[in-house]
Amino acid sequence: MYVGIDIGGTQIKYALVDDAAQIFEKSALDTPKDKEPFLEQVTAIIQAYQEKHDDILGVGISAPGIIQKDGMMTTAGAIRSLYGTNLKEEIKARTGMVTVVENDANAVAIAEKWVGNAQDLDNYLCIVLGTGVGGGIVINGEVFRGAHGIAGEFGWAITKELPEEGNIEYASLNLHISVIGGLCRLYNEALIKEQPEATSTWDAREILQRYTENEPIARQVVDRFHQDLAVGLINLISQYDPEAILIGGGISANEQFFNGLKETMEKLETRHESINFIKQYGWTPILPAKLKNDAGIIGAVYPLHKQSQSS
């Protein structure tokens, strides 16, 4: 049995996971923003399981940001107090447990390989749409991290015309195809511009419902969201030629979103002469991730499971 912990900007989700990727005793707590309270909270979660179970073999942690193989967090997403923290060593020292730490998008990709929609794949990409855009690259069955641990930061890619001055990240995928920083932000900006007294929404489901109801602002923003995401996916397919691209994040479970994305991709691919020609010889399918909100917890413990199976 392993302790799986999935750290998000707002919540820490955690559970026990067995060698069949089954989850037990799952719960969640708010994420402390300061370093020491955060470390104390994670330690308390693990120690509570240790007190109840004597068969825990290790701790797997999924976390946002750029994470090195030794557990050093170069960045930590919105949890800025953890920048420069070796989370693996901190938790190991406090609990005495074998600990592994993995980037959250990589954890999703690993989980899908273990018990999800990538079980029969060896070369695939996973893109997670949430507050920002996370990515996992799997080559020959192994996560590819790059020279500095930043491989898979698909959200940094720039696909828009650059602003004349200032931060060019405003032209990045993070600020156009993520759910919060992209879809919701752009919808709210358009809404307030047209209706200054309107109330903003940060629930993508509400925006998609308004899209169904043919609200003009929702139609414009969601159509552009589908197009920007389709362009990003086409670029990734052209660069990596993966067996599949899996899309994770809560929005991936929305059938309306997925149907709109597939329709947009087909239209764009038809208009791209080279792609339209080569598709007859095979092309990368876009699939929803299977494991939804449990993927981070499951993927976090997979390295421990793999190690136990090989020993």
Side-chain angles (χ1 to χ4, degrees):
M1 198 77 74
Y2 313 98
V3 178
I5 300 175
D6 183 15
I7 298 166
T10 57
Q11 277 197 322
I12 299 174
K13 295 179 289 186
Y14 54 95
L16 292 178
V17 185
D18 67 13
D19 281 310
Q22 297 297 306
I23 286 181
F24 308 91
E25 300 182 32
K26 183 169 70 170
S27 191
L29 292 167
D30 291 341
T31 304
K33 300 303 181 185
D34 294 327
K35 179 177 177 178
E36 192 56 34
F38 173 88
L39 294 173
E40 290 174 356
Q41 183 66 81
V42 173
T43 300
I45 290 169
I46 298 165
Q47 290 176 339
Y49 282 132
Q50 287 177 302
E51 290 173 2
K52 292 174 62 178
H53 304 275
D54 58 8
D55 60 344
I56 296 175
L57 302 177
V59 177
I61 300 175
S62 163
I66 299 169
I67 302 173
Q68 306 302 323
K69 290 186 69 174
D70 65 357
M72 176 61 71
M73 304 185 74
T74 305
T75 65
I79 315 172
R80 302 194 70 85
S81 64
L82 294 182
Y83 282 38
T85 298
N86 191 313
L87 187 57
K88 173 182 175 179
E89 295 302 325
E90 288 279 3
I91 299 304
K92 181 180 178 181
R94 292 165 186 252
T95 66
M97 299 296 297
V98 175
T99 304
V100 296
V101 182
E102 183 60 90
N103 164 270
D104 50 5
N106 285 344
V108 172
I110 293 168
E112 291 293 323
K113 176 65 176 175
W114 187 8
V115 289
N117 285 339
Q119 292 181 64
D120 298 324
L121 307 178
D122 288 318
N123 299 280
Y124 62 95
L125 305 178
C126 185
I127 183 168
V128 181
L129 305 178
T131 302
V133 179
I137 304 169
V138 176
I139 299 175
N140 296 328
E142 299 290 337
V143 170
F144 176 72
R145 292 178 169 79
H148 307 96
I150 67 172
E153 290 290 345
F154 301 144
W156 290 0
I158 295 171
T159 62
K160 298 285 184 179
E161 184 176 350
L162 299 182
E164 292 185 3
E165 57 184 24
N167 182 10
I168 66 171
E169 198 162 359
Y170 284 108
S172 71
L173 291 179
N174 266 334
L175 292 176
H176 289 86
I177 70 168
S178 64
V179 175
I180 301 301
L183 176 62
C184 293
R185 177 185 67 87
L186 293 170
Y187 176 81
N188 289 329
E189 288 179 359
L191 178 66
I192 300 303
K193 183 178 180 180
E194 190 163 311
Q195 304 173 26
E197 303 303 317
T199 301
S200 297
T201 178
W202 297 98
D203 188 336
R205 292 169 299 183
E206 186 174 336
I207 297 172
L208 291 173
Q209 179 59 38
R210 295 177 186 179
Y211 178 87
T212 301
E213 296 167 355
N214 286 315
E215 181 199 86
I217 296 173
R219 297 294 300 188
Q220 178 184 355
V221 172
V222 173
D223 284 344
R224 190 55 189 259
F225 176 71
H226 282 144
Q227 179 173 304
D228 289 342
L229 177 54
V231 168
L233 293 173
I234 288 170
N235 287 342
L236 290 174
I237 294 170
S238 302
Q239 292 159 6
Y240 290 95
D241 186 26
E243 294 172 83
I245 296 181
L246 278 62
I247 298 183
I251 198 170
S252 67
N254 187 292
E255 186 175 351
Q256 177 191 8
F257 154 75
F258 230 89
N259 289 338
L261 174 61
K262 289 193 291 186
E263 181 180 336
T264 302
M265 285 202 69
E266 289 171 2
K267 288 179 180 178
L268 295 184
E269 289 163 356
T270 299
R271 293 177 57 197
H272 190 300
E273 184 176 351
S274 296
I275 289 175
N276 192 44
F277 170 78
I278 206 67
K279 281 184 70 174
Q280 63 185 305
Y281 301 104
W283 191 243
T284 300
I286 307 298
L287 307 173
K290 177 182 178 180
L291 300 173
K292 306 299 185 285
N293 290 330
D294 291 336
I297 291 173
I298 293 172
V301 307
Y302 178 72
L304 298 168
H305 160 77
K306 185 178 180 181
Q307 183 177 357
S308 70
Q309 298 302 300
S310 61
S311 61

